[in-house]
Amino acid sequence: MEISLSTASWILFAIIMIAWYVHDKYVQRDHQLLVNYPIIGRLRYVFEEAREPFRQYFGDEKFYESKDKLDWVYKAASDKPNYASFSPSQPLPKPKFMIRHANIVLNDNEVDDKFEVIFGAKRKNPYIAKTIVSRSAMSDGSISPEGTRAFVRGAQMGEFPINSGEGGLTSNFFVTHQSYKPEYMKIVHGTEFKKKVKDLVDLFFNGAMAADVYRSLVFKKDPEAETYVFDLKSQLFHRVNWDAPLEDFPKEVPEDMADIILQLSSGLYGARDKNGNFDPDRYQKTMRFCKMTEIKIAQGAKQTGGKLTAHKVTPAIAYYRNVEANKDVFSPNRFPYANTIEELFDFIGRLQELSEKPVGVKIVISDLENIEPYVKEIKKRIDEGNDKYPDFISIDGGSGGSATAPIEMMERVGLNIKDSIFLADKVLRDYGVREEVKLIASGKILTPDDIIITMSLGADFVQIARGFMMSAGCIRARYCSGTTGHDCPVGLATQNKSKRKKYFVYKQAKKVTNYHNNLLKSVRGMLAIMGLKNINQLNKHRILFLDRDSRVHDNMDEVFKRRLDIGKDLGDQFHES
């Protein structure tokens, strides 16, 4: 008797299901649930697996105030009209800050389109930012090489600064730099045959694949092949020759590079020797390509040193950071030259002398004691005629910088950015030194209204991380750390070559530029309805506060007295009687 193909398929299916049942119930001893619920119990693990990458598509937004804010970012990055129909899909919850609009509003063209901010006005080479917005610190290493190139290209096109993150200045920050001189660059040529192969791959496939094939032909199995940038114009590979003498490096930052803020962390990456000590010569060379330096004392909820797990420490990352490849890179919790605030300020002075450029610090505030000692020392030094103090203070909200923070810290460390900025601004004014120091804010700033509110509360400048991540393609799957067995699905925050090689560098760079440009465009629109011609006219008198009971408050000092009832613990170890 012949058995039909359909019947045979069903018999095979039944055998597989019975074997699967027996395995789950009687053989495996890894999952307790499967013993009692063979096969069907696996649905739990399927749903758990899908929870993270798909959670954002169901229900209301929980991390940010509203899903409308996330939609704004994605639309701005795509340069689409950002209007809502009928009503917000998820109204902002109370309490919330509101803006005061003017009776006689301005037209958009009556608002100043210049957003310049001057850092380190007293330094030999102050930094004049053309915008009030920067991409916040994200290291090349945590971000894929392709992701870093997209950000750098986007920043250069949009004329806004980009913070290097603690990974330092890597080759990928030079992706737009084509006017280099061979004196400070190491240049590698490919043969004509290899170039022809590249051209054929480009003809039949795409430019990114062609560049990768060409790289593999030129460098073969060289583990540091990715430390070289491919210059499309000259068809050459190049990377900075850090062994070249300082006098061979450009005296000014090349015009075809993005404005880069070097972040110096406790690991001193980009300014250290092989033994991990500060290297003045390397720092000076690095600063020939950067506009100013930010010393990272703390970052959002992550008060520990930076953690880069072994699988992200590729030979290229090891080269950039002067560490060993394929091993965890865990920076110390405390910055090595900050055992006291006085020591930190002296080190800041040393960097200011070496670079002749602005230097600041990045901190997080949980209490008055996290800002007042800094301000006291600034005041003391100004009175003494000593200019070794920060040109700016970057303040991260407790919710900021937490992409890979320990979960136990995320909800327990640091005030939100609005409270932090108001407090820092107040303390600087109380000590009479507000005009000497710029305040930079970061932490859950996404949209133009966030910028208006934050700057009204005292910020001079904002740094944005997650907004720029989303503009660059991030879908918020929360696989950034790579420690869950998963990698960033879009190739933006991973070193997994199969994922990151498919990342659209040029397309995403344009979206990064669009996001920045639309932020400024909409900030101007908000200033117009507030009747303000310039961003510098923002202050705490331009906003209102709507509390949980819908009561409206117009005195921010009184509002923050209720929100910030701190500095009253007279028995704490920091209190001075």
Side-chain angles (χ1 to χ4, degrees), residues 40 87 158 264 274 374 405 423 429 460 470 491 547 572:
I40 196 172
S87 66
L264 200 58
K274 292 287 186 183
Y374 286 92
L423 182 62
R429 291 186 187 281
D460 298 298
M470 286 186 277
D547 69 20
D572 73 67

Side-chain angles (χ1 to χ4, degrees), residues 244-524:
L246 180 61
E247 55 266 25
D248 286 347
F249 283 74
K251 300 295 186 290
E252 296 181 357
V253 176
E255 292 184 359
D256 58 2
M257 291 189 69
D259 288 1
I260 301 166
I261 301 170
L262 175 71
Q263 187 178 81
L264 200 58
S265 73
S266 59
L268 301 175
Y269 306 121
R272 60 181 259 162
D273 59 22
K274 292 287 186 183
N275 298 318
N277 300 311
F278 177 68
D279 183 345
D281 183 64
R282 176 63 184 270
Y283 172 71
Q284 285 182 293
K285 291 173 182 176
T286 298
M287 289 309 297
R288 294 296 175 92
F289 305 104
C290 301
K291 296 292 188 176
M292 61 183 189
T293 305
E294 177 187 82
I295 296 175
K296 187 175 84 168
I297 300 300
Q299 177 185 342
K302 187 165 64 179
Q303 301 296 298
T304 60
K307 315 294 184 193
L308 202 61
T309 50
H311 72 279
K312 283 193 171 186
V313 187
T314 63
I317 297 302
Y319 165 79
Y320 296 139
R321 299 195 182 196
N322 261 347
V323 296
E324 192 172 344
N326 303 312
K327 287 191 176 182
D328 291 342
V329 175
F330 290 175
S331 301
N333 288 350
R334 186 174 65 253
F335 191 79
Y337 301 96
N339 295 296
T340 65
I341 289 178
E342 292 81 3
E343 182 186 14
L344 172 62
F345 281 24
D346 288 342
F347 185 69
I348 287 173
R350 187 181 179 192
L351 297 185
Q352 288 164 337
E353 291 174 358
L354 288 170
S355 68
E356 299 182 332
K357 296 178 180 181
V359 180
V361 293
K362 183 175 189 176
I363 64 173
V364 174
I365 295 176
S366 291
D367 197 1
L368 189 63
E369 298 302 331
N370 295 129
I371 182 64
E372 194 168 40
Y374 286 92
V375 179
K376 282 183 177 179
E377 185 63 22
I378 291 171
K379 169 67 172 173
K380 175 175 174 288
R381 293 190 176 216
I382 290 175
D383 290 344
E384 294 171 347
N386 182 349
D387 66 352
K388 295 180 180 180
Y389 59 84
D391 295 297
F392 63 91
I393 298 176
S394 292
I395 300 178
D396 214 352
S399 59
S402 54
T404 55
I407 190 67
E408 63 273 15
M409 294 185 187
M410 284 188 177
E411 295 293 324
R412 303 291 185 182
V413 179
L415 300 175
N416 71 51
I417 191 57
K418 296 180 182 67
D419 291 335
S420 299
I421 280 293
F422 182 88
L423 182 62
D425 179 73
K426 182 180 185 304
V427 174
L428 284 165
R429 291 186 187 281
D430 287 347
Y431 279 83
V433 295
R434 180 63 183 89
E435 300 305 315
E436 306 300 322
V437 181
K438 296 297 184 189
L439 277 181
I440 301 177
S442 62
K444 292 179 80 171
I445 298 171
L446 275 189
T447 52
D449 51 311
D450 295 332
I451 294 174
I452 291 288
I453 297 298
T454 306
M455 296 191 72
S456 294
L457 292 173
D460 298 298
F461 191 83
V462 299
Q463 293 195 97
I464 299 175
R466 291 184 180 96
F468 275 112
M469 285 288 287
M470 286 186 277
S471 73
C474 170
I475 62 171
R476 303 189 306 130
R478 301 210 295 189
Y479 288 158
C480 310
S481 68
T483 57
T484 60
H486 302 280
D487 294 296
C488 170
V490 299
L492 176 59
T494 179
Q495 297 301 313
N496 184 323
K497 287 188 178 182
S498 67
K499 293 281 197 310
R500 65 179 179 82
K501 289 295 183 182
K502 301 178 182 70
Y503 182 79
F504 299 153
V505 173
Y506 289 90
K507 179 180 179 180
Q508 302 299 356
K510 177 60 177 172
K511 289 189 173 185
V512 168
T513 301
N514 287 342
Y515 173 57
H516 168 264
N517 292 346
N518 281 311
L519 278 173
L520 292 192
K521 177 182 175 182
S522 294
V523 164
R524 287 183 70 209

